[in-house]
């Protein structure tokens, strides 16, 4: 038996982890290789990039150890995760700490639970238009630890009403928890204005921004809005798995201690394998430099579909283009049911959605659309199309043909 080597120094370890994947001059990969039709449900989950899968496979082989183990492989895996954290933070949110999780739902739950444990008897301001993963975490942990939840109003265009937020914020507010991009409608919130309101009305409160639908898709105003907590999910950006919670803490705030206690002492927060952390950092580093060009490509798909709508039908864009993510195209189709259209299109191999994947097949109308003031019938007419770097023009053309025929035969 040979004596195990010491863990490699950081500079050598960094060299071992796959570097940036060059996207310059390349067409987006077509990864959807099944014989089915267009995949336009990318807000639920995107196909992983081939190069991300290669990174994951290589990293899984190179770092098989459990990062919590004390042996050589465990120490080496922990060093790889630490390096992945440094790279992710440097690319996305310089100066922030990183907590690796299994899913985006886990990351949101970890943030909310840690905050509620550390701030009993205070208030959380949120909205009824949040993703179920955030909203249910807020309701569950606020009830468990004795916090009050107050809901701000949302306008018809999906924007959180600033006057409503201002009214709710006060000395007892400890957290503002809202989405940056709504997973269902694609509405983009003005994080800078919300941060300014928070600083004016509740300067001691934390700002949790659910950025799962905006990381690598919509520019994050980190310097101006500087959210205290933000989240990402690998399956939303082309990595096969894993998620992360990023946060910045202050000496007088026990958030860091509470998060570590939840993971290490209570085992209440799961973690992803080292390969997932390495791959996510690699994907974020690769995609962010081309954010503008990639967004313009997604917006072109939206415009092409919009131009194909029959003039005889009253198809309504729920969120104006200038207020929404280019990757999510949410429609209201009076006289039709979104769930029925999902099944009709699905019979042709086309994947779309009637709302958030986490709230699919419910018998009640969308809470997001209800919060925006839409009635039951119109809410049930909703249809969501969502794009990604792997979406092709051929898929868009095939969707338009089948979609218009489906409306005729409805």
């Amino acid at each position: 038996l040979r004596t195990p080597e010491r863990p490699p120094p950081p500079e050598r370890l960094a060299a071992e982890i796959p570097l940036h994947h060059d996207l310059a001059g390349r067409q987006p990969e077509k990864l959807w290789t099944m014989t089915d039709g267009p995949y336009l449900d990318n807000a639920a989950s995107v196909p992983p990039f081939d190069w991300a899968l290669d990174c994951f496979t290589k990293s899984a082989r190179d770092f098989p150890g459990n990062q919590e183990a004390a042996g050589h492989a465990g120490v080496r895996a922990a060093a790889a995760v630490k390096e992945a954290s440094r790279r992710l933070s440097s690319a996305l949110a310089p100066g922030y700490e990183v907590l690796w999780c299994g899913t985006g739902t886990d990351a949101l739950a970890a943030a909310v639970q840690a905050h509620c444990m550390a701030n009993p008897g205070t208030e959380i301001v949120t909205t009824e238009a949040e993703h179920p993963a955030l909203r249910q975490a807020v309701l569950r942990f606020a009830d468990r630890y004795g916090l009050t939840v107050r809901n701000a109003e949302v306008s018809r265009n999906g924007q959180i009403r600033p006057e409503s937020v201002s009214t709710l914020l006060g000395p007892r507010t400890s957290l503002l928890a809202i989405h940056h991009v709504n997973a269902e409608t694609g509405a983009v919130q003005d994080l800078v204005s919300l941060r300014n309101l928070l600083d004016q009305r509740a300067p001691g409160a934390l700002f949790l921004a659910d950025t799962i639908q905006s990381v690598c898709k919509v520019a994050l105003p980190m310097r101006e809005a500087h959210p205290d907590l933000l989240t990402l999910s690998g399956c939303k950006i082309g990595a096969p798995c894993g998620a992360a919670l990023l946060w910045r803490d202050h000496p007088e705030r026990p958030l860091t201690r509470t998060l570590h206690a939840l993971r290490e002492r209570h085992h209440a927060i799961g973690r992803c394998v080292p390969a997932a952390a390495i791959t996510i950092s690699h994907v974020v580093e690769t995609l962010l430099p081309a954010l503008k060009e990639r967004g313009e490509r997604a917006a072109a798909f939206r415009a092409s579909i919009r131009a194909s709508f029959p003039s005889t039908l009253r198809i309504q864009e729920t969120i104006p283009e200038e207020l929404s993510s280019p990757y999510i195209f949410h429609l209201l189709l009076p006289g039709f049911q979104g769930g029925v259209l999902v099944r009709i299109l699905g019979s042709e191999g086309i994947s779309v959605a009637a709302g958030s994947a986490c709230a699919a097949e419910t018998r009640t109308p969308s809470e997001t659309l209800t919060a925006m003031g839409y009635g039951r019938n119109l809410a049930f007419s909703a249809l969501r199309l969502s794009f990604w770097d792997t979406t092709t023009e051929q898929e868009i053309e095939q969707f338009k043909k089948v979609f218009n025929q489906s409306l005729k035969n409805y």
Side-chain angles (χ1 to χ4, degrees):
L1 295 176
R2 65 181 180 83
T3 303
E5 298 177 1
R6 290 181 175 274
E11 60 272 15
R12 180 181 144 199
L13 180 63
E16 293 179 0
I17 299 177
L19 298 178
H20 296 223
H21 183 82
D22 184 13
L23 292 180
R26 297 191 56 214
Q27 292 297 317
E29 300 176 46
K30 175 60 176 134
L31 303 176
W32 189 246
T33 56
M34 295 179 64
T35 56
D36 293 339
Y39 181 73
L40 299 179
D41 194 19
N42 292 280
S45 182
V46 307
F49 294 111
D50 275 346
W51 49 267
L53 289 172
D54 291 342
C55 175
F56 182 88
T57 301
K58 182 180 186 306
S59 301
R61 290 188 179 128
D62 291 346
F63 303 98
N66 184 326
Q67 59 266 49
E68 294 182 346
H72 172 70
V75 172
R76 191 166 179 274
V81 172
K82 183 176 181 180
E83 173 63 12
S85 298
R86 183 198 65 78
R87 287 170 55 179
L88 177 64
S89 176
S90 177
L92 185 63
Y96 283 58
E97 297 185 63
V98 179
L99 182 78
W100 294 102
C101 302
T103 66
T105 297
D106 295 338
L108 289 167
V112 175
Q113 183 175 8
H115 177 82
C116 290
M117 286 180 67
N119 296 274
T122 60
E123 294 181 350
I124 297 176
V125 174
T126 184
T127 78
E128 293 181 344
E130 301 309 316
H131 189 280
L134 176 56
R135 179 152 179 78
Q136 293 305 316
V138 167
L139 295 175
R140 180 170 71 256
F141 293 119
D143 179 67
R144 181 182 302 179
Y145 298 107
L147 286 79
T148 301
V149 178
R150 309 187 73 185
N151 294 311
E153 298 174 356
V154 181
S155 66
R156 271 293 180 108
N157 62 9
Q159 300 299 295
I160 298 172
R161 296 185 186 277
E163 64 276 12
S164 176
V165 175
S166 180
T167 301
L168 297 177
L169 296 174
R172 296 188 64 235
T173 305
S174 63
L175 182 69
L176 175 62
I178 54 89
H179 58 273
H180 184 204
V181 172
N182 186 281
E184 185 173 343
T185 66
V188 180
Q189 304 303 326
D190 185 348
L191 296 186
V192 178
S193 295
L194 291 169
R195 163 54 76 178
N196 291 336
L197 284 175
L198 192 63
D199 288 345
Q200 294 167 13
R201 304 283 297 177
L206 296 182
F207 189 8
L208 165 58
D210 174 4
T211 52
I212 287 176
Q213 289 292 346
S214 53
V215 169
C216 293
K217 298 176 182 178
V218 174
L220 282 168
M222 292 300 301
R223 181 173 298 179
E224 300 85 357
H226 49 91
D228 299 283
L229 305 105
L230 60 149
T231 51
L232 66 87
S233 174
C235 71
K236 310 296 187 187
I237 59 174
C241 59
L245 166 66
L246 292 89
W247 81 96
R248 62 189 187 98
D249 209 352
H250 302 280
E252 68 277 12
R253 291 173 178 163
L255 182 62
T256 299
R257 295 195 303 273
T258 309
L259 282 169
H260 287 319
L262 281 172
R263 166 161 283 172
E264 298 164 7
R265 189 190 319 155
H266 303 293
H267 296 277
I269 303 174
R271 65 171 81 239
C272 60
V273 296
I278 293 169
T279 304
I280 287 175
S281 65
H282 177 42
V283 169
V284 171
E285 288 176 325
T286 302
L287 297 184
L288 281 182
L291 192 69
K292 182 174 182 293
E293 296 81 358
R294 294 171 45 248
E296 290 174 346
R297 184 173 180 273
F301 290 148
R302 176 177 179 144
S304 177
I305 292 174
R306 182 195 301 116
S308 72
F309 291 154
S311 58
T312 55
L313 295 178
R314 294 182 298 116
I315 299 178
Q316 176 182 342
E317 292 184 55
T318 313
I319 309 298
E321 185 175 13
E322 64 274 13
L323 297 177
S324 67
S325 165
Y327 292 91
I328 297 178
F329 192 18
H330 193 271
L331 305 169
L332 296 174
L333 297 91
F336 300 87
Q337 284 201 15
V340 174
L341 288 172
V342 168
R343 284 178 169 78
I344 292 174
L345 294 169
S347 68
E348 299 291 334
I350 298 176
S351 297
V352 295
S356 171
C358 293
E361 303 298 335
T362 61
R363 296 186 178 184
T364 56
S366 158
E367 291 187 359
T368 293
L369 296 179
T370 300
M372 292 167 59
Y374 288 102
R376 181 184 182 89
N377 290 339
L378 203 53
F380 273 124
S381 76
L383 191 72
R384 183 188 70 181
L385 314 176
S386 47
F387 319 114
W388 183 235
D389 296 23
T390 52
T391 306
T392 66
E393 293 181 4
Q394 290 77 15
E395 286 181 302
I396 298 301
E397 291 304 315
Q398 184 178 349
F399 166 78
K400 291 191 296 187
K401 179 180 178 180
V402 176
F403 179 63
N404 288 333
Q405 190 61 44
S406 298
L407 295 179
K408 291 180 182 177
N409 298 336
Y410 185 86

